């Protein structure tokens, strides 16, 4: 029987790579996206070409009602969830903390923290043996920014990812005896469109010389770690965070 996976922000970048690698590993995939339906459709087509079922689900993870509707669609159209990749996340323009508006901070924390926590809550409600579920795995996308702080870039983003690290540890221990493993991946500088959305389209290229491996990483290199954490090969691994940073 195929296992069913929900990837938030699955239409581009790291999330899209996770969807494709998950299909190759035998998962059926729900591809969540916020705005770009065509991009999500293309990822779903790739999943189907690999012989797996796929649906696309529009939902802003920062909106609880939309998250609830998204999980209901996965239940109805694919079946019992066995995995969640909490990948949807946003950055913002470079700024100092003393320049940040409350609206910016709310968007950042609502999307990156509350979005991941509410999606994890819904996954636990479905997968925990405490709720008659069959167990499963959750992988959260953190960032090396959680360790580095991102001064004069986006300290708010770094702090949101620090919260993800702590949430990963706490939730992992809370549900460890209920058949659910919870882990995180901390990517470094990865070549995706996220940098353009923060007003720095050349960021991955510009920062590559600062990386010990002297290059940016690819979405596929991050997805490989995510897929390992989702897999049975990681059956005794929970509450951990894997750096995928080229040594940064
Ligand atoms: P990306 O290329 O910007 O893609 C972001 C994805 O998230 C898109 O599919 C987007 O959908 C979706 N999304 C954005 N806001 C959303 C919302 N409110 N609700 C639902 N979906 C939403 O990002 P990425 O570089 O692949 O990053 C993925 C994750 O890795 C993020 O959590 C990020 O913080 C983390 N990360 C990335 C890097 C890096 O260097 N790239 C480094 C460290 C950590 P639409 O296109 O439809 O808007």
């Amino acid at each position: 029987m195929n296992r069913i996976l929900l990837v938030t922000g699955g239409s581009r970048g790291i999330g899209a790579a996770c969807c494709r690698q998950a299909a190759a590993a035998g998962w059926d995939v729900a591809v969540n996206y916020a705005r770009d339906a065509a991009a999500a459709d293309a990822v779903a087509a790739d999943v189907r070409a690999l012989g797996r079922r796929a649906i696309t689900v529009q939902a802003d993870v920062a909106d609880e009602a939309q998250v609830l509707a998204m999980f209901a669609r996965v239940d109805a159209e694919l079946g019992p969830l066995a995995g969640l990749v909490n990948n949807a996340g946003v950055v913002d323009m470079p700024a100092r903390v003393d320049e940040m508006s409350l609206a910016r901070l709310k968007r950042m924390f609502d999307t990156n923290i509350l979005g991941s926590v509410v999606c994890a809550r819904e996954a636990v409600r479905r997968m925990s043996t405490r709720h008659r579920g069959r167990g499963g795995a959750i992988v959260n996308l953190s960032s090396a920014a959680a360790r580095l702080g991102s001064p004069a870039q986006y300290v708010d983003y770094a702090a949101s990812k620090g919260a993800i690290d702590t949430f990963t540890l706490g939730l992992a221990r809370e549900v460890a005896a209920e058949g659910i493993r919870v882990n995180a991946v901390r990517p470094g500088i990865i070549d995706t469109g996220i940098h353009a959305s923060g007003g720095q389209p050349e960021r991955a290229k510009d920062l590559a010389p600062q990386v010990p491996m002297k290059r940016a990483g690819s979405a596929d290199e991050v997805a490989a770690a995510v897929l390992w954490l989702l897999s049975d090969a990681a059956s005794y691994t929970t509450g951990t965070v894997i750096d995928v940073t080229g040594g940064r």
Side-chain angles (χ1 to χ4, degrees):
M1 195 178 70
N2 297 343
R3 291 170 298 172
I4 293 158
L5 177 70
L6 169 62
V7 180
T8 66
S11 57
R12 287 192 279 123
I14 293 166
C18 289
C19 293
R20 295 186 181 103
Q21 288 191 25
W27 293 84
D28 290 340
V29 185
V31 183
N32 160 252
Y33 66 99
R35 286 159 288 268
D36 191 345
D41 285 342
V43 175
D46 289 345
V47 170
R48 292 185 195 109
L50 287 160
R52 304 297 164 193
R53 295 185 300 157
I55 61 170
T56 60
V57 194
Q58 194 282 329
D60 177 352
V61 296
D63 182 316
E64 185 186 26
Q66 293 185 33
V67 169
L68 295 180
M70 170 171 70
F71 275 85
R73 269 199 61 200
V74 175
D75 294 341
E77 296 179 32
L78 288 180
L81 195 72
L84 167 68
V85 180
N86 257 328
N87 168 78
V90 292
V91 295
D92 212 317
M93 300 300 153
R96 289 169 46 97
V97 170
D98 54 14
E99 298 164 343
M100 290 177 186
S101 69
L102 188 64
R104 168 186 170 131
L105 296 173
K106 283 188 163 160
R107 171 180 169 269
M108 186 74 72
F109 297 149
D110 281 357
T111 307
N112 293 5
I113 305 177
L114 288 183
S116 293
V117 173
V118 172
C119 286
R121 181 192 75 192
E122 291 308 307
V124 168
R125 286 176 175 171
R126 286 159 174 79
M127 301 190 311
S128 168
T129 54
R130 190 164 185 261
H131 298 290
R132 301 180 190 280
R134 291 184 270 183
I138 297 172
V139 180
N140 298 319
L141 268 294
S142 174
S143 170
R147 289 189 280 100
L148 300 170
S150 305
Q153 280 272 311
Y154 26 59
V155 171
D156 50 349
Y157 172 79
S160 76
K161 295 301 188 177
I164 291 300
D165 286 1
T166 307
F167 177 64
T168 298
L169 178 65
L171 182 63
R173 292 178 174 176
E174 193 165 286
V175 299
E178 300 171 19
I180 303 176
R181 295 181 300 101
V182 186
N183 293 288
V185 173
R186 269 197 216 112
I189 306 290
I190 309 301
D191 192 6
T192 73
I194 201 170
H195 308 295
S197 71
Q200 303 177 83
E202 301 300 320
R203 185 167 183 267
K205 187 159 61 78
D206 291 348
L207 293 186
Q210 296 178 22
V211 178
M213 283 190 182
K214 304 294 177 201
R215 67 172 177 88
S218 71
D220 271 323
E221 289 175 307
V222 179
V226 172
L227 263 292
W228 180 75
L229 288 168
L230 287 174
S231 77
D232 292 340
S235 55
Y236 199 54
T237 300
T238 198
T240 198
V241 184
I242 297 181
D243 284 329
V244 182
T245 60
R248 188 164 175 254

